[in-house]
Amino acid sequence: MADLTVLTPAYNRRKGLQKLFESLLAQTNKNFEWLIVDDGSTDDTSLFVQQWVSCKEFSVRYYKKENGGKHTALNYSLDKISTPLVFIVDSDDYLTSDAVDVIYEKYSLYKSEKDLCGLSFLRTKPDGSGYLSPPLPCDDVKSTYCECRVNGGLEGDMAEVWFTEKLREFPFPEFEGEKFLGEDTVWVKISGKYKMRFFNKAIYVSEYLGDGLTRNRRRHNIQSPRGCVARAEAFLSSDVDFKHKVKSMLQYFIYGRFAGESFAWLLRNSQSKALAVICAAPAAVIYTTWKKQYEKG
């Protein structure tokens, strides 16, 4: 029985899914299942995926839900996963041929560590020119997400394989009418309770598409302001360093204003009054600037 589910939320990504499927077929270890959660695609994703459901190399399951954003697709999927490990792989990315083997190797070494919530690996660029996040100073580091990634300055995406039961403890917050939420909202919450193992091994290949979330992040944020406030609050209540606390407090005010709250209300309900007082004025300037830019389109 497989210990790993490769989970792919998808929205109008039929073409990208083909490359991911081919990379799964190329795995040296096919003891896994592939769970595709279609977040209300309007293209022919469902028809395209049906040809893979009967795949004999590994199990493929497909579900379609109403469009609500990637984070809602992740929440939707968690009660459909029975394996102890879940690997979130985006529909426009793909894996190295040894990815599953590497995951199982590390899992066999550390699965008994009760304070672990997952294993983290590197992502590489398609042309092999480098990693999306810098390698760690040394391999096989045991630390929290906040301490290693945020405070350690390791910006950029990594490839996290989560212990399913630990991830279930921290569902993604959902807000009516909002379809975007930074995944690190949950990663920093998990960091308050569990650690991870970080490895300098690339198992994931990322191609950022021009129509993807990365390019349009600020616009997505403004259109989902309550989720951004929740993310800011998660960072403010975590053990991130002061620089990130300041950035999060600024975002708390900025997106709080986009959510329709007054500065007075936001100040009154802030987690750290002293830091809130320091950040309120610069946040007001940034909010005004971004609002004008957003309204211009």
Side-chain angles (χ1 to χ4, degrees), residues 149-163:
R149 294 289 311 280
V150 182
N151 298 345
L154 297 180
E155 298 181 354
D157 290 332
M158 287 187 173
E160 293 92 1
V161 179
W162 300 99
F163 291 9

Side-chain angles (χ1 to χ4, degrees), residues 168-179:
R168 283 197 182 106
E169 293 181 32
F170 298 88
F172 291 86
E174 298 184 19
F175 301 94
E176 186 176 357
E178 296 194 1
K179 298 183 178 181

Side-chain angles (χ1 to χ4, degrees), residues 83 99 234:
T83 59

Side-chain angles (χ1 to χ4, degrees), residues 45-185:
T45 294
S46 59
L47 293 175
F48 198 78
V49 169
Q50 290 306 316
Q51 63 184 312
W52 301 332
V53 173
S54 59
C55 173
K56 292 181 173 54
E57 299 290 329
F58 50 86
S59 172
V60 180
R61 290 190 293 147
Y62 170 79
Y63 295 91
K64 186 168 185 176
K65 61 178 284 295
E66 183 179 352
N67 178 245
K70 180 181 177 181
H71 63 296
T72 68
L74 295 176
N75 282 342
Y76 174 90
S77 69
L78 285 177
D79 65 351
K80 295 173 173 56
I81 295 173
S82 59
T83 59
L85 297 174
V86 55
F87 187 14
I88 303 167
V89 181
D90 289 344
S91 54
D92 47 3
D93 298 329
Y94 55 98
L95 301 180
T96 62
S97 61
D98 63 345
V100 174
D101 260 329
V102 170
I103 291 168
Y104 277 133
E105 175 194 350
K106 302 304 183 184
Y107 179 57
S108 67
L109 292 174
Y110 300 115
K111 62 183 178 181
S112 63
E113 296 186 359
K114 302 302 182 184
D115 61 342
L116 282 189
C117 63
L119 312 169
S120 183
F121 303 90
L122 297 177
R123 297 194 191 196
T124 187
K125 298 177 182 178
D127 59 4
S129 62
Y131 303 114
L132 271 68
S133 179
L136 283 72
C138 59
D139 191 37
D140 194 353
V141 173
K142 185 176 183 179
S143 183
T144 67
Y145 178 91
C146 287
E147 186 60 33
C148 183
R149 294 289 311 280
V150 182
N151 298 345
L154 297 180
E155 298 181 354
D157 290 332
M158 287 187 173
E160 293 92 1
V161 179
W162 300 99
F163 291 9
T164 309
E165 288 303 316
K166 305 292 177 59
L167 191 56
R168 283 197 182 106
E169 293 181 32
F170 298 88
F172 291 86
E174 298 184 19
F175 301 94
E176 186 176 357
E178 296 194 1
K179 298 183 178 181
F180 180 75
L181 180 82
E183 291 169 58
D184 55 359
T185 304

